[in-house]
Every structure is written in structure tokens, then in C-alpha cells.
Amino acid sequence: MTSASPVLSARRLEVAYAGNRVLQLDQLDIRAGEIVGVIGANGAGKSTLINALLGWSRGRPAVTGDVTLSGRPVGRLPTHERVRAGLLLVPESRLVFSRMTVEENLTPAVAPVDEPGRRYYRRDDVYELFPRLRERRHHLGGQLSGGERQMLGIGRSLMMGPRALLLDEPSIGLAPMLVTQVLQSLRALASAGLAVLLVEQNVRAALQVVDRLLLLERGRLVLQGPAAEVGVDPRIAQAYLGAHTA
Ligand SMILES: Nc1ncnc2c1ncn2[C@@H]1O[C@H](COP(=O)(O)OP(=O)(O)O)[C@@H](O)[C@H]1O
Ligand SMILES: [Mg+2]
């Protein structure tokens, strides 16, 4: 289900730390129903991209460029207002509330706003997506496996009515089977109309679910295309998939 106008767009996005430019991206568009993957070596600027879209950073970078969400310019808004508008980062899995049960973690944090293009998941919707969480609903967040915590983090974001969902290396530390399960859940969410930006170091796993893949090198977009094409590009195959030269 792809629609013409992008849900999330960025134009001429540039980020610099202390005059040192670490990201320069002319154009990024993610449509409803689409998963766009971003890969690249450590330090390539992947997290910087996500943070710039959200207007957040650990440091004090100079950020320029335009960000729009469902046609609305959000690039001048503080992070919490972008979140309220439906631009949601799935938190690192260690950030779920470890002393609350799964059920308590899945308590609505915001009152749903009735806007087209937004779906606020309820707890039962999250359980339907991740049956494992229903089984674990009385367990504390701190007792969950990495994969379960990741599901919980996604679930919490879904309850906030995302238009676009951003994930920064969600597969880190997960058992291979759970990597597949978590990433496949993104496929289901995209099919239901969400726009997804997935930063992944597990390129092989990412290629199984993304529609398009972007390769960043030193803050620049050096390659992009449909997963099927990019996945067989020698630059990707050799550097990121560990493939032998043909
Ligand atoms: N808070 C910061 N202060 C200064 N430089 C930073 C900061 N955060 C990231 N950088 C620099 O920006 C570049 C991109 O980093 P990052 O986006 O974290 O890369 P990736 O997520 O692809 O590993 C790196 O050179 C990194 O050193
Ligand atoms: Mg990073």
C-alpha cells in the first residue's frame, strides 16, 4: 500500500559537530507502506540521520534542512512536538521500564488524536502483533529477553500513533530467530500503512524486509536502490554481506 506523497521527507539535510560536517543528504522520502533501510559502517552518520529527523542529539550539532511529516514542516519543532505529530523513534530496548510489568509498560501514554493516517494501537493490538508479549504480560520489563524488550519498545511506540517509525539498529544483541521475528513485524506494520526507517548493521537481515536500501559513507549517500538490486551490488555484497568475489 504505497501512496503518492511521502509520509516522511527530508531535504538538504546537513549536520555538523563543531564545524565538522558529518551528514549531508539531499533527499529522503518514505511513503506509507514502505520500509527504507539505512546501512553503513560505524560512524557513517546513520544515528545522526535519525537524530536530525527527530531534532534530537547528545551533542550540540548545527542542523540545517527541511523535514516534513505528512506534508507538515516539523524541522523547527522541538523533539517532543515531532513525537506528538507522529514521528516516533523506537527506544533502545534497554529503555523499557524494567520495574513495570509488560502490561503496565503497554499503558497508553497519550490520548489518541483523531487524524487521518494515524493508528493508535491498543494493548490488545500489540499483543496480536507480538503474542509473546501477551504470554509475558505479568513479567517485569527487566525480566524480558532482549527480543521481548525490543517488541515491547515497538509496542509502546505503536500506542503513540506513529505516522513514521524510526528504528536505530533494533537487532543488536538479539538471537537470530528473534531478529527475523522483529524485522518481519515491521513488514506487517508497513503493510498496514506505516512508513518505516530502519537503520541496521545486520544487512543480511535488513535486506529481507526493506523495500529500499541506502548506503551511507562518511555522511554521504553513496548508493541507493530497491533491496533486490542493492543486495547484489558488489559494494554491498563484499563489504556488508561477507560474500566472496564471484
Ligand atoms: N555528540 C557528538 N559530538 C561530536 N561528534 C559526534 C557526536 N555524535 C556523533 N558524532 C560523529 O558523527 C559521525 C557519525 O556518527 P553516528 O551518526 O553516530 O554514526 P553511526 O550511527 O553510523 O555509527 C561520527 O564521526 C561521530 O564521531
Ligand atoms: Mg549509530
Side-chain angles (χ1 to χ4, degrees):
M1 190 180 86
T2 42
S3 63
S5 52
V7 172
L8 180 61
S9 286
R11 291 290 180 277
R12 297 172 307 279
L13 201 56
E14 293 197 17
V15 179
Y17 286 101
N20 183 21
R21 192 162 60 198
V22 296
L23 182 72
Q24 182 172 25
L25 187 66
D26 271 352
Q27 179 172 351
L28 174 71
D29 290 308
I30 309 179
R31 293 174 172 73
E34 192 176 37
I35 305 180
V36 173
V38 177
I39 64 168
N42 265 340
K46 306 181 297 297
S47 296
T48 298
L49 168 62
I50 283 196
N51 294 342
L53 294 169
L54 282 163
W56 182 90
S57 174
R58 275 202 183 84
R60 293 186 173 274
V63 181
T64 58
D66 303 321
V67 180
T68 57
L69 186 66
S70 300
R72 174 185 174 200
V74 297
R76 304 285 172 275
L77 298 180
T79 301
H80 70 272
E81 286 185 30
R82 299 189 204 196
V83 169
R84 207 161 58 191
L87 185 55
L88 285 170
L89 172 68
V90 173
E92 284 176 48
S93 61
R94 59 183 178 79
L95 294 181
V96 303
F97 296 117
S98 57
R99 288 169 188 215
M100 286 190 199
T101 63
V102 166
E103 194 126 314
E104 288 163 349
N105 265 285
L106 294 175
T107 301
V110 295
V113 184
D114 192 12
E115 289 174 342
R118 296 186 78 168
R119 173 177 174 196
Y120 291 76
Y121 279 61
R122 295 158 308 158
R123 184 187 286 146
D124 281 340
D125 300 326
V126 175
Y127 286 157
E128 204 165 302
L129 182 68
F130 297 122
R132 182 70 184 151
L133 291 182
R134 192 197 300 274
E135 292 165 21
R136 304 280 268 161
R137 64 188 179 279
H138 299 309
H139 287 75
L140 296 177
Q143 298 174 315
L144 302 180
S145 73
E148 291 163 348
R149 279 203 303 271
Q150 195 58 254
M151 294 172 193
L152 189 53
I154 294 172
R156 285 172 52 86
S157 301
L158 294 174
M159 294 180 81
M160 297 175 77
R163 294 176 181 280
L165 198 62
L166 315 179
L167 301 101
D168 195 350
E169 308 203 352
S171 78
I172 275 191
L174 303 196
M177 207 181 75
L178 281 165
V179 172
T180 307
Q181 203 178 326
V182 165
L183 296 189
Q184 286 300 339
S185 74
L186 301 180
R187 198 62 263 173
L189 293 170
S191 301
L194 208 58
V196 179
L197 180 70
L198 171 66
V199 166
E200 252 307 334
Q201 29 64 50
N202 188 337
V203 177
R204 203 178 291 280
L207 278 170
Q208 289 174 11
V209 298
V210 302
D211 297 290
R212 285 189 292 132
L213 198 67
L214 317 185
L215 172 61
L216 286 184
E217 276 178 11
R218 277 174 253 101
R220 299 263 193 166
L221 183 63
V222 293
L223 183 66
Q224 69 168 319
E229 283 172 26
V230 173
V232 296
D233 187 290
R235 284 168 287 181
I236 302 277
Q238 283 162 26
Y240 297 95
L241 297 174
H244 301 291
T245 32

